[in-house]
Amino acid sequence: TRSTTSSKICSGVDPNRNWDMHWGEAGTSKNPCADDYQGKSAFSEIEVKSVASYLQSQKNINGYVNFHSYSQLWMSPWGYTSDLPPTDDYNAQNDVSAAAVEAIAAVHGTKFDYGPISKTIYPASGSSADWTYGVCDILFSYGVELRDTGKYGFLLPEDQIIPSGEEILPAVKVLAHA
């Protein structure tokens, strides 16, 4: 986000550390200049609070994806702990993840890793995928890190934007049919 903070030189909050699901625990920072700054409180960011409010007003949502850049990862709950969701849920989430990354690779050969957030990248509490799964009971809740694996980082070249979309669409279709 771009909100003001207690710092005179830094602004913004990492919106994917601002959800009210184990907010302020593992993988967040209280430092307003850190990339993983959690904000002053859960849902302190209007963008996060608005999306959460909308999601809670809906019934029977089957899937949720929060797209990010970068790292080429398709991640499921949990981020706040290395514990896995209940076995049946974990197996269903993992099966959809495997099918999604297979669909991605089939387009341009781009390889994505998949698994629970805390085991695939690092512990990260206050994530949207944890909140949508844990609070809204959206079984297929994911955090997806798009291209690339670090060469360009957050500044993906223009010529890779369309291929990124082309390969992600079949993965979203997998989720839609789950």
Side-chain angles (χ1 to χ4, degrees):
T1 68
R2 297 285 182 239
S3 58
T4 58
T5 67
S6 60
S7 170
K8 293 181 183 185
I9 59 171
C10 302
S11 63
V13 169
D14 180 344
N16 210 37
R17 301 289 189 281
N18 194 241
W19 294 75
D20 196 9
M21 183 69 175
H22 292 271
W23 176 85
E25 294 179 14
T28 68
S29 177
K30 294 178 182 175
N31 177 348
C33 292
D35 287 340
D36 58 356
Y37 176 51
Q38 64 195 21
K40 60 185 175 193
S41 63
F43 294 138
S44 62
E45 303 308 287
I46 189 65
E47 301 89 343
V48 175
K49 189 174 185 176
S50 295
V51 171
S53 214
Y54 173 77
L55 291 170
Q56 284 187 305
S57 75
Q58 302 302 301
K59 304 290 182 229
N60 302 317
I61 298 176
N62 295 325
Y64 171 86
V65 181
N66 190 338
F67 289 106
H68 301 248
S69 64
Y70 60 95
S71 291
Q72 295 175 199
L73 304 171
W74 189 280
M75 300 177 292
S76 57
W78 297 115
Y80 78 92
T81 180
S82 60
D83 294 343
L84 297 176
T87 302
D88 288 346
D89 286 3
Y90 170 74
N91 288 339
Q93 291 164 344
N94 209 49
D95 289 349
V96 169
S97 294
V101 301
E102 185 177 311
I104 292 167
V107 178
H108 295 296
T110 308
K111 304 292 183 201
F112 275 57
D113 290 330
Y114 67 92
I117 298 164
S118 64
K119 294 175 182 260
T120 305
I121 192 167
Y122 43 67
S125 61
S127 80
S128 62
D130 282 5
W131 187 85
T132 55
Y133 172 66
V135 174
C136 295
D137 295 321
I138 301 173
L139 175 61
F140 300 112
S141 293
Y142 298 100
V144 175
E145 300 280 351
L146 301 171
R147 290 182 180 203
D148 73 345
T149 56
K151 181 176 181 182
Y152 301 106
F154 295 112
L155 300 174
L156 193 64
E158 185 178 337
D159 67 349
Q160 290 193 35
I161 295 171
I162 289 175
S164 181
E166 290 170 340
E167 65 199 11
I168 290 302
L169 180 58
V172 172
K173 289 180 178 180
V174 165
L175 177 59
H177 291 100

